[in-house]
């Protein structure tokens, strides 16, 4: 107590003012720097301060709650300054709250450092303080851990020669996370930081609980009241106080394991609501006309023979069906009536006639090009939109955060359980207290193990839900949407292919026509060239050789005896044959060259 009073006179230098800090100077400097750098975010003004103390006496009847709102009143309550209202307490709780989980703590920096100095709080507890305070977004929220410092030897390692022996005590600090209902039927992950100090030479346990709301304060008050269990408020001796500390630990441990079941249920419900309509959408198959079951009967092998007259009737009925195939196909497409049937006159058995198949019939061809309005996705396909996918991604993030928080809680609880399991066997721990509290520690370990198993079950449940989201449901939804898109894309490509086929067929016909026109032109071109021509070039038949009987000199014309028709045929026929042969040779050469190209392409494709 003397060390505490001496340190409180210099509380602003925490953690350097601690009597026994066991940390190197550079570690203390780092902690001091973090406190100063984040003081504006962590602490409120003294005018808004409200520290809640809960002092307990020997029994639950000795119960003194206090709310301290300034430094002066705090010093009086802690005994640093003289006061007329001091009470003798055996256990003290300090509750630090905030308006909400991301707001500044309702305490000033001076007041909290004074409390830390009075309780001689281990400097490592500052690490669990820093995740609190004002934050616009959740930052450093996932920090978790367990720290302990046990002093069971009276020698103080940094004390000067002749100093007072150190008190036998142990200190632990840790934090846990849980989910609590918030506004709008939502859930919020909350954290709680706990510091506990227990002296083994006198009954003087102390607690510091930092949490956004006052839930822990109400639960501790309820547990230590007269209506609560006796073990949580009995401080008559060291062993009873030790058992009371274990019961208090269980308050925080049980809080860290509750509500996860309902939180996971809410995630599953939201996930199912987002995906149920999509996966329950009916798959509509094309409606096909079916034969009337009353008109169709399987025939036995004894009635499979047919007479000539039956064959004639079948042929006659088939011809009648052929004349009406246009209307029949239209009815079949619309699903208006079943196919017509044939009744055997010999056996009286009716059976449906096969539909007429005509590959060249235009009725079998698909319709014209699809309009953009024709390519539509059904309403059930639109149920799962990008917004739904984004919301599912948020659900997956919440599930991952829950898995992380649960695993961190499991680790912290395991360290807490191991600490109390080993401390009874540590050298310097009072043997009588260890023997008296062995059953309480065993029960404490069993309770913690049960909570760990519950959390592991929640982790398995969340991991299964995440696998369902990532590997099955989400991928299936995306694949389903891709299938629908490919379906309508294939329809569009089919229509385009049909159009290209029509164009190719028309081009083939036009090419054939051009070849015929070219061939006819080549056939008549030599005769035309030889017959008459009065344009740019004069042809042979228009020369003066065939136009006059005498020459210009007045003498007889040597060519006057030539018959023009004979000359025309003698010149045009060979020339026509020559032109046609030249065209045929060129055409054959072109076809041969094309075949060589095709053979080369086939050889190259085969090698590939």
């Amino acid at each position: 107590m003397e060390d505490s009073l001496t340190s409180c006179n210099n509380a602003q230098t925490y953690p350097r003012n601690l009597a026994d800090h066991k940390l190197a100077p550079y570690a203390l400097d780092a902690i001091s720097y973090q406190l100063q750098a984040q003081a504006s975010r962590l602490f409120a003004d003294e005018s808004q301060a409200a520290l809640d103390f809960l002092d307990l006496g020997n029994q639950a009847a000795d119960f003194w709650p206090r709310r301290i709102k300034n430094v002066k009143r705090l010093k009086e309550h802690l005994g640093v300054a003289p006061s007329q209202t001091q009470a003798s307490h055996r256990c003290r709780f300090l509750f630090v709250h905030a308006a909400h989980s991301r707001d500044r703590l309702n305490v000033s920096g001076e007041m909290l450092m004074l409390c830390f100095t009075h309780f001689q709080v281990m400097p490592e507890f500052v690490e669990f303080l820093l995740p609190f305070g004002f934050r616009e977004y959740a930052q450093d929220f996932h920090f978790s851990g367990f720290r302990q410092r046990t002093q069971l030897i009276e020698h103080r390692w940094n004390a000067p020669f002749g100093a007072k022996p150190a008190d036998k005590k142990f200190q632990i600090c840790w934090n846990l996370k849980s989910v609590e209902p918030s506004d709008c039927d939502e859930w919020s992950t909350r954290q709680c930081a706990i510091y506990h100090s227990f002296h083994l030479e006198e009954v003087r346990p102390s607690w510091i609980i930092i949490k956004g709301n006052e839930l822990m304060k109400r639960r501790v008050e309820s547990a230590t009241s007269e209506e609560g269990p006796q073990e949580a408020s009995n401080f008559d001796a060291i062993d009873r106080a030790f058992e009371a500390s274990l019961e208090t630990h269980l308050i925080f441990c049980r809080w860290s394991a509750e509500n996860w079941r309902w939180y996971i249920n809410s995630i599953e419900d939201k996930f199912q609501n987002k995906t149920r309509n999509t996966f329950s959408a009916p798959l509509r198959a094309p409606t096909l006309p079916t034969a009337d079951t009353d008109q169709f009967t399987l025939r036995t092998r004894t009635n499979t023979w047919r007479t000539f007259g039956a064959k004639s009737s079948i042929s006659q009925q088939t011809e009648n069906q052929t004349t009406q195939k246009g209307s029949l196909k239209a009815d079949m497409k619309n699903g208006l009536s079943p196919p017509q049937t044939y009744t055997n006159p010999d056996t009286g058995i009716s059976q449906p006639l096969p539909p007429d198949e005509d590959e060249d019939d235009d009725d079998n061809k698909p319709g014209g090009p699809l309009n953009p309005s024709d390519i539509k996705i059904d309403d059930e396909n639109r149920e799962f939109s990008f917004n739904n996918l984004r919301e599912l991604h948020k659900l997956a993030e919440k599930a991952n955060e829950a898995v992380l928080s649960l695993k961190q809680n499991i680790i912290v609880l395991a360290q807490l359980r191991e600490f109390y399991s080993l401390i009874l066997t540590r050298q310097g721990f009072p043997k009588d207290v260890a023997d008296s509290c062995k059953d309480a520690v065993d029960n404490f370990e069993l309770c913690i193990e049960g909570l760990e198993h519950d959390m592991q079950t929640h982790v398995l449940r969340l991991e299964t839900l995440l696998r369902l989201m990532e590997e099955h449901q989400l991928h299936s939804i995306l694949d389903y949407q891709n299938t629908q898109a490919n379906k309508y894309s294939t329809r569009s490509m089919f229509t385009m292919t049909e159009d290209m086929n029509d164009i190719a067929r028309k081009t083939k016909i036009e090419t054939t026509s051009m070849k015929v026109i070219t061939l006819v032109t080549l056939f008549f071109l030599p005769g035309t060239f030889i017959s008459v021509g009065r344009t740019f070039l004069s042809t042979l038949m228009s020369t003066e050789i065939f136009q006059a009987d005498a020459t210009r000199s007045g003498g007889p014309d040597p060519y006057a005896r030539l018959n023009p028709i004979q000359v025309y045929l003698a010149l045009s026929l060979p020339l026509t044959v020559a032109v046609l042969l030249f065209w045929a040779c060129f055409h054959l050469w072109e076809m041969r060259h094309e075949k060589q190209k095709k053979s080369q392409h086939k050889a190259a494709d085969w090698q590939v």
Side-chain angles (χ1 to χ4, degrees):
M1 181 64 66
E2 295 178 0
D3 294 336
S4 175
L5 294 176
T6 303
S7 301
C8 287
N9 296 327
N10 198 18
Q12 67 274 11
T13 62
Y14 176 88
R16 284 188 170 275
N17 60 345
L18 296 178
D20 187 14
H21 47 71
K22 292 185 179 180
L23 288 179
Y26 68 86
L28 298 176
D29 292 339
I31 295 174
S32 300
Y33 173 78
Q34 290 294 336
L35 284 173
Q36 295 175 4
Q38 303 190 39
S40 60
R41 181 185 62 82
L42 288 171
F43 309 120
D45 295 333
E46 186 174 341
S47 59
Q48 302 175 351
L51 283 178
D52 291 328
F53 282 87
L54 178 62
D55 297 336
L56 301 177
N58 293 332
Q59 298 293 335
D62 301 331
F63 188 88
W64 306 293
R66 296 285 188 276
R67 173 160 288 190
I68 309 300
K69 295 185 177 182
N70 52 65
V71 176
K72 179 180 178 181
R73 183 70 183 88
L74 178 63
K75 290 182 177 180
E76 293 176 355
H77 185 76
L78 296 178
V80 178
S83 175
Q84 298 178 357
T85 60
Q86 292 183 2
S88 176
H89 65 276
R90 306 297 297 270
C91 177
R92 170 167 286 177
F93 289 89
L94 169 62
F95 299 97
V96 182
H97 308 300
H100 53 81
S101 58
R102 293 185 185 176
D103 199 3
R104 294 177 179 87
L105 299 174
N106 295 335
V107 62
S108 64
E110 181 181 0
M111 294 176 65
L112 190 61
M113 295 304 103
L114 181 61
C115 292
F116 281 6
T117 302
H118 173 75
F119 286 102
Q120 293 291 295
V121 175
M122 53 192 296
E124 291 87 344
F125 184 61
V126 176
E127 299 179 13
F128 301 93
L129 171 68
L130 297 179
F132 291 89
F134 176 77
R135 293 186 186 274
E136 184 176 359
Y137 302 101
Q139 299 175 351
D140 197 30
F141 179 77
H142 297 293
F143 172 78
S144 179
F146 177 87
R147 306 288 186 270
Q148 62 86 23
R149 179 174 296 178
T150 305
Q151 178 69 36
L152 299 179
I153 302 177
E154 296 181 353
H155 175 68
R156 184 182 300 171
W157 72 278
N158 59 347
F161 179 76
K164 181 181 177 181
D167 296 334
K168 290 184 178 182
K169 64 179 181 178
F170 63 84
Q171 302 178 76
I172 57 176
C173 57
W174 42 291
N175 66 344
L176 293 172
K177 301 179 182 65
S178 184
V179 286
E180 298 177 357
S182 59
D183 298 336
C184 301
D185 296 331
E186 294 292 336
W187 294 85
S188 178
T189 306
R190 306 288 173 80
Q191 59 178 335
C192 179
I194 302 102
Y195 166 82
H196 176 54
S197 175
F198 190 89
H199 292 257
L200 296 173
E201 295 178 346
E202 59 177 332
V203 180
R204 205 156 38 92
S206 57
W207 297 84
I208 299 178
I209 296 94
I210 303 177
K211 195 179 183 302
N213 54 26
E214 299 183 5
L215 177 63
M216 290 304 171
K217 174 189 174 184
R218 294 192 295 269
R219 293 194 176 185
V220 171
E221 289 177 350
S222 176
T224 55
S225 64
E226 295 181 354
E227 298 177 356
Q230 185 180 1
E231 293 82 0
S233 58
N234 190 349
F235 302 98
D236 293 338
I238 296 294
D239 53 350
R240 301 284 77 83
F242 190 84
E243 294 178 1
S245 297
L246 296 180
E247 291 295 328
T248 306
H249 278 302
L250 290 178
I251 297 175
F252 310 119
C253 295
R254 293 191 179 103
W255 168 82
S256 67
E258 67 185 18
N259 289 332
W260 290 107
R261 173 185 175 184
W262 318 118
Y263 178 60
I264 299 173
N265 286 345
S266 67
I267 295 179
E268 290 180 345
D269 291 341
K270 292 179 181 178
F271 173 70
Q272 295 295 337
N273 292 335
K274 294 299 180 183
T275 59
R276 184 180 293 113
N277 293 335
T278 300
F279 283 97
S280 61
L283 298 178
R284 297 172 181 172
T287 303
L288 297 177
T290 57
D292 192 354
T293 55
D294 296 335
Q295 297 179 350
F296 180 77
T297 307
L298 293 177
R299 297 189 302 165
T300 60
R301 294 295 297 173
T302 58
N303 295 325
T304 57
W305 58 274
R306 292 183 181 180
T307 62
F308 179 77
K311 293 182 180 178
S312 299
S313 64
I314 293 175
S315 301
Q316 183 177 1
Q317 293 183 13
T318 305
E319 291 177 359
N320 295 333
Q321 295 296 331
T322 305
T323 59
Q324 300 176 357
K325 63 180 179 181
S327 62
L328 177 63
K329 289 184 178 180
D331 293 340
M332 290 178 64
K333 290 181 180 179
N334 297 327
L336 299 177
S337 62
Q340 298 186 11
T341 60
Y342 159 72
T343 303
N344 193 327
D346 297 332
T347 61
I349 298 175
S350 300
Q351 62 182 22
L353 288 174
D356 297 320
E357 296 181 358
D358 189 1
E359 295 180 355
D360 297 333
D361 195 348
D362 294 337
D363 293 339
N364 292 334
K365 295 179 182 179
L370 292 175
N371 296 324
S373 59
D374 296 334
I375 304 176
K376 295 180 180 179
I377 300 178
D378 298 336
D379 292 338
E380 64 267 16
N381 298 338
R382 295 184 180 273
E383 288 294 334
F384 195 83
S385 61
F386 178 76
N387 291 331
N388 292 0
L389 181 62
R390 183 174 58 183
E391 292 180 6
L392 282 184
H393 181 69
K394 293 181 179 179
L395 291 178
E397 287 183 350
K398 291 183 178 180
N400 282 316
E401 291 178 356
V403 169
L404 177 59
S405 298
L406 285 169
K407 289 184 177 180
Q408 289 177 334
N409 286 348
I410 292 173
I411 294 174
V412 171
L413 292 183
Q415 291 177 316
L416 178 65
R417 172 173 51 83
E418 184 179 3
F419 171 79
Y420 276 100
S421 175
L422 296 177
I423 195 172
L424 298 181
T425 61
R426 292 280 299 270
Q427 182 180 1
F429 193 87
K431 184 174 177 55
D432 55 342
V433 176
D435 295 338
S436 176
C437 298
K438 187 177 185 307
D439 292 339
V441 172
D442 292 340
N443 293 331
F444 176 78
E445 293 180 4
L446 291 177
C447 292
I448 297 297
E449 287 179 355
L451 297 176
E452 292 176 7
H453 294 161
D454 292 342
M455 292 185 183
Q456 290 174 354
T457 303
H458 296 321
V459 170
L460 293 176
R461 186 179 172 188
L462 285 170
E463 290 177 347
T464 302
L465 180 61
L466 286 172
R467 284 195 297 268
L468 191 65
M469 289 181 180
E470 298 174 0
E471 298 179 5
H472 179 69
Q473 297 269 6
L474 293 181
H475 292 177
S476 299
I477 290 172
L478 296 178
D479 291 342
Y480 178 74
Q481 294 294 328
N482 291 334
T483 301
Q484 294 297 322
N486 293 335
K487 171 184 174 181
Y488 297 109
S489 177
T490 303
R491 291 177 55 187
S492 301
M493 293 301 298
F494 178 78
T495 304
M496 294 175 60
T497 303
E498 288 294 317
D499 295 340
M500 293 298 295
N501 190 17
D502 293 340
I503 294 173
R505 184 166 53 252
K506 294 178 181 179
T507 303
K508 181 179 180 181
I509 296 173
E510 293 175 357
T511 303
T512 303
S513 300
M514 291 300 298
K515 287 184 178 180
V516 173
I517 293 173
T518 303
L519 182 60
V520 173
T521 302
L522 290 177
F523 179 78
F524 287 103
L525 182 62
T528 305
F529 175 77
I530 294 174
S531 62
V532 177
R534 296 183 180 273
T535 56
F536 182 73
L537 293 177
S538 297
T539 58
L540 182 61
M541 293 302 293
S542 63
T543 58
E544 296 179 354
I545 298 177
F546 301 97
Q547 303 296 328
D549 294 337
T551 62
R552 294 181 181 179
S553 60
D557 188 357
Y559 301 102
R561 296 180 180 180
L562 295 177
N563 188 354
I565 300 301
Q566 294 178 355
V567 175
Y568 174 76
L569 294 176
L571 294 176
S572 62
L573 290 179
L575 188 59
T576 300
V577 173
V579 171
L580 292 176
L581 288 175
F582 176 77
W583 177 83
C585 293
F586 181 79
H587 183 67
L588 292 174
W589 177 84
E590 192 69 24
M591 292 178 62
R592 184 179 179 184
H593 184 66
E594 189 67 23
K595 289 182 179 180
Q596 290 179 354
K597 285 184 177 180
K598 289 183 179 180
S599 62
Q600 290 178 359
H601 288 311
K602 289 182 179 180
D605 294 340
W606 177 259
Q607 291 177 359
V608 173

